[in-house]
């Protein structure tokens, strides 16, 4: 196992995410505890010492199961991470109640790593609002030793992340972002890494395989990669990409079965970062995958001054691309929920003034209509 230095700790570079644990009969709330126990035993034996759960994973059951399973191991032999569920605004005034409950569910006296979960457009104002006192409460828990390291995870856009860092950047010890070779540019992950580097905050990676999408590529792309390294599996390429980025300290993978666990551990036995040609090839594959399924908006913003409704067209098209590529998901609806109704895609009146100036000839009015329909 590769280990990374983090302050006075040596963390396994691969962490076990507990959001896609094995389940019984496909019921997300019904975790297969025996299978999870066996997977954790194997992970421990092979040197994984970081386990990441959250209040909302598996409908709240993940924390309970991980607590039960990890109880069999000396507390100092692993790091446990969980998160404050600020993705639901109804939780904002319950930070103390939720935190106490999480300790109880996980059967621990402290969390090694604790995160503001999913800082994004929808909750940034509440997260920063003194009246909820989220930060003050969590900071107090850190002073009491009930949180060893405080950080945040982010699915929001770059300006939102910046807004959070401007206030709490000097207090955050790590940040979890969605990072993989598809999202390096698509979700602005590169710019997010650069921003975190400015604050000297190490990167924790979520969705290294983009929900499994990068575990299987087309035959053409698979063969292209085989010509570079015959021995690598398709998922391993995604991990090798991450092993090539200096500030990446932790890669979290939500493994659902033994085979995935074994294969991922094998990839993390040895660091094999990409050379320049391999790096470029992966980014080129990423562009080709995105080209087929996304609109070619370059964010030139020529269109925006022509919109009588004052819509932030490139921003909305970016969300549309994300939504279409992911075939749904929560990111676009969450970002849109932070906008007033008169700035949402549904506010488009179909005048097409924007289309005449779009160098990419995007049929913007149709896209806004389609986006509105997709969002229901
Ligand atoms: S078609 Fe829609 S997005 Fe384009 S200018 Fe008119 S209102 Fe704005
Ligand atoms: S003019 Fe076209 S390419 Fe430029 S920002 Fe608007 S939609 Fe995107």
């Amino acid at each position: 196992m590769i280990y990374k230095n983090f302050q006075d700790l040596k963390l396994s570079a691969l962490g076990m995410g507990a959001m896609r644990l094995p389940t019984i009969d496909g019921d997300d709330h019904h975790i297969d505890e025996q299978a999870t126990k066996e997977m954790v035993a194997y992970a421990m034996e092979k040197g994984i010492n970081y386990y990441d759960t959250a209040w909302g994973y598996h409908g709240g059951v993940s924390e309970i199961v991980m607590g039960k399973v990890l109880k069999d191991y000396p507390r100092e032999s692993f790091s446990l991470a969980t998160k404050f569920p600020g993705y639901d605004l109804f939780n904002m005034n319950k930070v103390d109640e939720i935190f106490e409950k999480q300790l109880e569910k996980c059967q621990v006296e402290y969390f090694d790593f604790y995160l503001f979960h999913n800082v994004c457009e929808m909750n940034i104002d509440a997260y920063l609002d003194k009246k909820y006192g989220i930060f003050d409460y969590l900071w107090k828990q850190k002073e009491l030793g009930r949180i060893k390291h405080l950080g945040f995870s982010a699915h929001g856009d770059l300006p939102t992340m910046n807004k959070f860092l401007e206030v709490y950047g000097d207090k955050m010890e790590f940040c979890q972002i969605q990072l993989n070779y598809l999202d390096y540019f698509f979700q602005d992950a590169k710019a997010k890494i650069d921003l975190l580097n400015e604050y000297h905050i190490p990167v924790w990676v979520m969705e290294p395989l983009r929900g499994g999408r990068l575990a299987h590529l087309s035959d053409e792309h698979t063969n292209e990669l085989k010509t570079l390294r015959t021995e690598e599996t398709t998922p391993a390429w995604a991990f090798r990409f991450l092993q090539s980025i200096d500030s990446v300290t932790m890669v979290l993978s939500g493994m659902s079965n033994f085979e995935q666990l074994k294969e991922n551990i094998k990839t993390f036995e040895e660091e094999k970062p990409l050379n320049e040609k391999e790096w470029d090839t992966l980014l080129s594959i990423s562009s080709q995958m995105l080209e087929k399924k996304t609109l070619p908006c370059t964010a030139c913003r020529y269109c925006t001054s022509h919109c009588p409704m004052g819509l932030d067209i490139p921003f909305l098209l970016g969300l549309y691309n994300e939504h279409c590529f992911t075939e749904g998901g929560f990111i676009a609806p969450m970002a849109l929920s932070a906008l007033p109704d008169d700035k949402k895609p549904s506010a488009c009146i179909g005048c097409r003034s924007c289309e005449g100036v779009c160098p990419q000839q995007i049929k913007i009015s149709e896209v806004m209509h389609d986006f509105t329909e997709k969002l229901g």
Side-chain angles (χ1 to χ4, degrees), residues 306-309 311 313 347-355 364-365 368:
H306 292 260
C307 179
M309 305 308 291
L311 301 185
I313 297 169
C348 170
I349 55 172
C351 67
R352 303 182 63 193
S353 307
C354 51
E355 293 176 16
I364 300 166
S365 58
M368 295 297 169

Side-chain angles (χ1 to χ4, degrees), residues 237-268:
W237 278 101
F239 292 119
R240 299 297 181 213
F241 178 82
L242 298 170
Q243 289 175 358
S244 314
I245 301 172
D246 285 345
S247 55
V248 168
T249 301
M250 171 64 57
V251 176
L252 294 166
S253 182
M255 296 165 275
S256 312
N257 58 53
F258 235 99
E259 287 63 44
Q260 286 169 1
L261 177 65
K262 279 185 181 164
E263 195 177 323
N264 291 351
I265 286 174
K266 196 161 180 291
T267 308
F268 278 82

Side-chain angles (χ1 to χ4, degrees), residues 186-198:
F186 186 44
Q187 284 248 345
D188 256 350
K190 181 188 182 309
K192 289 175 184 169
I193 295 170
D194 292 343
L195 179 62
L196 291 168
N197 285 344
E198 281 175 34

Side-chain angles (χ1 to χ4, degrees), residues 47-252:
I48 291 183
N49 61 12
Y50 190 99
Y51 297 84
D52 172 76
T53 182
W55 177 260
Y57 290 174
H58 288 282
V61 185
S62 172
E63 287 182 330
I64 297 170
V65 170
M66 290 310 288
K68 272 192 211 168
V69 169
L70 290 170
K71 193 85 184 138
D72 290 345
Y73 301 88
R75 182 66 187 89
E76 64 286 355
S77 66
F78 61 88
S79 284
L80 178 62
T82 195
K83 315 177 184 81
F84 173 71
Y87 49 79
D88 181 345
L89 294 177
F90 286 109
N91 291 331
M92 287 301 179
N93 56 7
K94 297 187 211 155
V95 62
D96 47 349
E97 181 189 326
I98 287 173
F99 185 78
E100 294 297 337
K101 189 76 191 163
Q102 287 178 303
L103 289 172
E104 196 186 301
K105 285 170 79 183
C106 294
Q107 303 186 50
V108 291
E109 310 266 298
Y110 64 89
F111 292 114
D112 304 271
F113 292 84
Y114 196 86
L115 300 86
F116 289 74
H117 200 166
N118 189 14
V119 173
C120 66
E121 294 86 338
M122 179 270 293
N123 59 22
I124 180 72
D125 292 336
Y127 265 147
L128 299 182
D129 193 333
K130 284 276 171 197
K131 104 175 161 229
Y132 295 119
I134 314 273
F135 173 81
D136 291 345
Y137 178 83
L138 296 179
W139 191 252
K140 181 81 188 156
Q141 303 315 305
K142 185 171 152 63
E143 287 173 343
L144 292 170
R146 302 171 92 202
I147 291 174
K148 303 292 181 194
H149 303 287
L150 188 59
F152 69 112
S153 70
H155 276 290
D157 62 9
L158 189 65
T160 306
M161 189 189 242
N162 197 25
K163 200 169 164 183
F164 187 79
L165 286 168
E166 275 171 357
V167 181
Y168 296 131
D170 60 335
K171 300 288 194 303
M172 292 296 114
E173 296 169 84
F174 64 106
C175 173
Q176 198 164 305
I177 58 170
Q178 181 166 318
L179 172 61
N180 49 63
Y181 58 85
L182 253 170
D183 287 314
Y184 194 61
F185 291 115
F186 186 44
Q187 284 248 345
D188 256 350
K190 181 188 182 309
K192 289 175 184 169
I193 295 170
D194 292 343
L195 179 62
L196 291 168
N197 285 344
E198 281 175 34
Y199 284 87
H200 306 289
I201 296 175
V203 175
W204 262 226
V205 173
M206 56 183 160
E207 298 294 358
L209 297 172
R210 227 205 192 254
R213 189 175 279 251
L214 300 182
H216 308 280
L217 299 178
S218 67
D219 288 350
E220 182 196 344
H221 290 150
T222 304
N223 292 336
E224 193 177 352
L225 291 175
K226 281 279 172 220
T227 62
L228 297 172
R229 292 189 193 182
T230 47
E231 80 285 6
E232 296 287 20
T233 62
T234 302
W237 278 101
F239 292 119
R240 299 297 181 213
F241 178 82
L242 298 170
Q243 289 175 358
S244 314
I245 301 172
D246 285 345
S247 55
V248 168
T249 301
M250 171 64 57
V251 176
L252 294 166

Side-chain angles (χ1 to χ4, degrees), residues 264-308:
N264 291 351
I265 286 174
K266 196 161 180 291
T267 308
F268 278 82
E269 275 170 2
E270 202 184 338
E271 218 157 13
K272 291 186 190 168
L274 307 179
N275 62 32
E276 205 178 320
K277 184 174 178 203
E278 292 164 343
W279 175 271
D280 291 346
T281 303
L282 277 190
L283 288 180
S284 157
I285 286 174
S286 151
S287 304
Q288 290 166 43
M289 288 170 76
L290 289 166
E291 256 167 36
K292 281 189 190 151
K293 288 210 161 185
T294 57
L295 300 167
C297 174
T298 58
C300 66
R301 304 193 73 81
Y302 295 159
C303 52
T304 50
S305 61
H306 292 260
C307 179

